[in-house]
Amino acid sequence: MSDDTRTAYRTCPLCEAGCGLEITVQAGKVTRIRGDRDDVFSAGFLCPKGSTLKQLHDDPDRLRRPMVKRDGVHVEVEWDEAWDIIADRLPAIIQEHGRESVGVYMGNPSAHNLSAMLHNRTLLTALGTRRRFSASTVDQMPRQVAAAYVFGTPVSVPVPDLDHTDHLIIIGGNPYASNGSLCTAPDFPGRIERMRARGGRLVVVDPRRTRTAEEADQWVAIRPGTDALLLAAMATTMAEEGLISVGDHVAEHVSGVDDVVAALAPFTPEAVATATGVSADDIRRLARDLCAASSGSVYGRIGTTTTEFGTLASWLVDVVNTLSGNLDRRGGAMFPKPVAGSGNTRGKPGRGKGFSVGRGHTTVRQHPEVMGEYPAAAMAEEITDAGDERMRAMVTVAGNPVLSTPDADRLDAALAALDFMVSVDIYLNETTRHADVILPPPSQLQREHYDLALLGFAVRNVANYSEAVLPIDEGAPDEWEILAKLGLIAAGMGPDADPASADELTLRGMVQHAVGDPSSPVHGRSEDEILAALGTTAGPARTLDFMLQTGPYGAAFGANPGGASLALLKEHPHGVDFGPLQPRIPEILRTPSGTVELAHPVLMADLDRLRAAMPAWEAQPLVLVGRRHLRSNNSWMHNIEVLVKGKPRCTLQVHPDDADRLGLRDGAVATVTSRVGSLDAPVEVTDSVRPGVVSLPHGWGHGQPGTRLRVAAERAGVNSNVLSDAEAMDPLSGTSVLNGIPVSVTAR
Ligand SMILES: Nc1nc2c(c(=O)[nH]1)N[C@H]1C(S)=C(S)[C@@H](COP(=O)(O)OP(=O)(O)OC[C@H]3O[C@@H](n4cnc5c(=O)[nH]c(N)nc54)[C@H](O)[C@@H]3O)O[C@H]1N2
Ligand SMILES: Nc1nc2c(c(=O)[nH]1)N[C@H]1C(S)=C(S)[C@@H](COP(=O)(O)OP(=O)(O)OC[C@H]3O[C@@H](n4cnc5c(=O)[nH]c(N)nc54)[C@H](O)[C@@H]3O)O[C@H]1N2
Ligand code: SF4
Ligand SMILES: [Mo]
């Protein structure tokens, strides 16, 4: 190695797996990226996307300087000019029309971004609007809402104890493509293979025979949208056959078992067989096998959450895990204990306020606030149909809702009608083309990293901090500075507002709270002493240090020498392993009763709606589901040549029986029509989808005028969310139905 060559270690921020990367940098340029074999969690694994952080950094279309729209065309400007325009427009709108005239949408990459994790809040607080939207309501919100009712907080989501389980049932997840979600597990496929090698069984419930299903011992081709019925019938089978055994380890902490069993009694395997498309015998076998396994875990993912009964299905996953004795035990469904603190390691353990919704309602459809948000599906109408109460301005951060959220054409038109829009984003894409100002953060390689959100769903308790691999461009702000400054400007502090002051304030607030909190390891300590120890360099690193030091393994500023701290993580660039998951009930609970509230009334009440929906499923001829591909990442990695080359992937998969019936030929174009929209897509005839189901991936539909994604435009594909219906949602969480959309398909 020559003198100017160095090796950097960095956690990949592209998906939830969080793989460790080994990055070779030569003369200031990245020359190679491969899996870090010494990473304590990923041990060298990476997928084809991980090594493309270099291409992403070098992508000439990636924005390096702010863009401002002039006469309908985006032009590059200096940072000062961009800030001036925002300072001129945004506070004026707020002043004239009030805080609620501004809406915010936060997209998926902000969950993998330390800057955003810490300073989105600064922006939100400064804006003070209740009109907050995010990708959560087109994703995992139902899973968190169910957990929040049952366990008391939306961060207490059980994950499958993947490395120890003997029986894994994956419902509506395809980790061979997605690398896992709400289950942080680098090399998910390898972990599944090791499970099977030790004699464990894999069952996959999915309307498509996915790569994961192909690896499974059993594939159950369920009808989309009906997982709640299947799970309810599994629970009923356990009750009928005397298989229920919650287990001595948690029994005294679980309430409501008998009530749940009674409420689910009408959902017998026979009653749900036609609706689910799964035979009563198969449903019974699923229940028996799970109960017979020495340990087992049911894991539901996006196919279960983005449906009309997303919250119920997620709850019933917990119910089935509990009734089969697998809650909170090795090999079952367990709770991670995040190293950098979390809502379930702070405060008084075992009991809390529980969960509630409805602090505010949307203007048009009166949707309640859930987890501080409104449904993403309500954005368009809140802009166009809310009269004087309408959203006049929007800020988007790391989101592409025009491709990712329902009734996309309508949202596209609505964004065009805003008085003012600011986007914090690295691309000029289908959404940001509507922005008056685009503020680009540094590239993924130019920032430090710690996966604050996703390590809270990890199958081992690990911590890994990465320093920035490359320096930030001369004169450009870091992402946290952009977010904080945007907030300060919105609050009327002017274009020269100093983001460091917001950072200082946030940190001071956290320290103040901790020293006054009897359950904090720094309770009673001096605020100034702690602030001094954290240093004077503003930014996410010192806040992270504080969170690590006051977390459950923390060094606590000298009180626990050798404990977690930023310094410790810097000494260990391959990460620090705090061991396998451990039982956490009752300490994890934050419910008012101090028990696992399995029969929470909100969830129980929704069962009537489930029962009433059964006949409709039985009558549904054709529904649309999505799918993911290993080389895609939602809507935004299609500008990387190595990831999109090859066969076009945006195809409509149709079962041969349906193709025959509908007169569709492989390779020909079909028109797909839903209640709200219509599109043309090339047909791929394949028996990997079950009859009655067609599949189209989301995140395509590039090449719009005014975008700058030259590679993506060449393989534009179509936007599947033109077909998803903004009216169709899970009312408990406000999450959209993106799977199981009724459609008709005709040959064009
Ligand atoms: N039909 C259908 N629709 C779906 C889904 C589905 O399965 N089917 N899945 C849903 C799911 S799970 C999700 S999470 C959503 C995703 O929905 P979104 O989060 O709205 O969309 P993404 O495609 O992830 O777009 C991310 C945006 O962030 C930008 N970006 C990338 N990195 C950064 C960064 O570090 N900082 C900033 N500021 N910007 C960055 C990208 O350029 C892009 O504009 O889509 C949902 N939509
Ligand atoms: N390569 C790649 N990886 C990704 C992403 C990506 O876009 N590309 N996105 C990331 C994000 S933001 C997320 S949230 C995760 C999602 O992670 P996963 O949940 O694993 O996502 P998918 O691969 O879409 O798997 C969902 C499966 O549900 C099935 N399905 C559809 N409808 C139903 C139904 O009603 N019932 C059942 N049982 N199954 C159904 C689909 O056929 C599909 O196979 O992936 C993350 N990882
Ligand atoms: S699996 Fe996810 S985290 Fe790992 S390299 Fe691929 S994109 Fe990155
Ligand atoms: Mo997602």
Side-chain angles (χ1 to χ4, degrees), residues 56 105-110 113 135-136 138-140 301-302 306 397-405 424-427 429 431-432 439 441-444 447 479 626-628 633-636 696-699 720-721 724 738-739 741:
L56 191 58
Y105 175 86
M106 301 202 158
N108 171 273
S110 32
N113 179 326
S136 287
V138 282
D139 187 353
Q140 87 296 345
R301 209 31 209 109
I302 201 153
T306 50
V397 179
N400 192 4
V402 168
L403 294 192
S404 305
T405 70
V424 182
D425 207 289
I426 56 176
Y427 282 116
N429 63 18
T431 296
T432 62
L439 305 170
S443 89
Q444 275 68 10
R447 60 171 87 135
E479 186 152 12
R627 67 177 189 268
R628 282 176 162 72
N633 201 13
N634 293 318
S635 75
W636 70 279
L696 190 65
H698 77 286
S720 72
N721 280 313
S724 46
L738 304 174
N739 281 297
I741 301 165

Side-chain angles (χ1 to χ4, degrees), residues 74 91 113 117 229 240 393 417 495 517 519 558 726:
H74 281 96
N113 179 326
M117 284 304 295
L229 291 175
E240 283 176 352
D517 174 3
S519 65

Side-chain angles (χ1 to χ4, degrees), residues 687-708:
D687 68 357
S688 68
V689 287
R690 59 164 271 157
V693 173
V694 293
S695 167
L696 190 65
H698 77 286
W700 298 88
H702 304 296
Q704 303 289 326
T707 58
R708 193 173 103 186

Side-chain angles (χ1 to χ4, degrees), residues 218-428:
Q218 188 187 354
W219 169 44
V220 179
I222 194 168
R223 187 197 306 270
T226 64
D227 302 288
L229 291 175
L230 178 90
L231 288 156
M234 283 173 68
T236 299
T237 301
M238 292 178 196
E240 283 176 352
E241 302 190 3
L243 302 174
I244 294 178
S245 164
V246 174
D248 292 343
H249 64 294
V250 289
E252 63 170 309
H253 305 295
V254 179
S255 63
V257 171
D258 293 345
D259 293 342
V260 171
V261 166
L264 296 179
F267 299 94
T268 60
E270 285 71 19
V272 306
T274 311
T276 57
V278 183
S279 74
D281 281 350
D282 282 350
I283 297 175
R284 286 186 201 285
R285 189 175 141 215
L286 284 173
R288 286 177 197 143
D289 288 351
L290 176 63
C291 292
S294 42
S295 72
S297 194
V298 181
Y299 160 61
R301 209 31 209 109
I302 201 153
T304 60
T305 53
T306 50
T307 68
E308 241 179 298
F309 297 93
T311 303
L312 269 194
S314 302
W315 165 57
L316 290 165
V317 165
D318 296 335
V319 167
V320 166
N321 280 328
T322 305
L323 300 186
S324 62
N326 285 303
L327 182 66
D328 202 36
R329 74 149 170 185
R330 199 171 171 88
M334 301 191 79
F335 298 95
K337 191 176 208 170
V339 180
S342 142
N344 69 35
T345 56
R346 272 192 298 273
K348 197 162 158 267
R351 203 180 280 270
K353 282 204 296 281
F355 182 68
S356 59
V357 302
R359 280 160 294 248
H361 290 80
T362 62
T363 306
V364 179
R365 266 189 282 167
Q366 295 294 308
H367 278 296
E369 161 277 342
V370 179
M371 281 173 63
E373 298 183 21
Y374 291 141
M379 276 190 292
E381 69 204 28
E382 294 289 300
I383 297 170
T384 55
D385 294 1
D388 284 347
E389 304 289 302
R390 70 182 184 274
M391 286 200 303
R392 296 161 197 264
M394 275 208 82
V395 178
T396 70
V397 179
N400 192 4
V402 168
L403 294 192
S404 305
T405 70
D407 207 349
D409 280 347
R410 183 166 176 215
L411 179 64
D412 192 45
L415 293 179
L418 287 168
D419 294 346
F420 190 61
M421 176 166 157
V422 180
S423 291
V424 182
D425 207 289
I426 56 176
Y427 282 116
L428 175 49

Side-chain angles (χ1 to χ4, degrees), residues 110 113-123 448 452 480 483-484 502-503 506 510 539-545 547:
S110 32
N113 179 326
L114 189 58
S115 278
M117 284 304 295
L118 296 174
H119 280 289
N120 272 352
R121 187 164 297 279
T122 312
L123 173 61
E448 61 195 326
L452 210 47
W480 73 268
L483 296 166
D503 188 67
T506 309
M510 290 172 84
R542 64 178 179 170
T543 307
L544 175 66
D545 190 18
M547 295 176 82

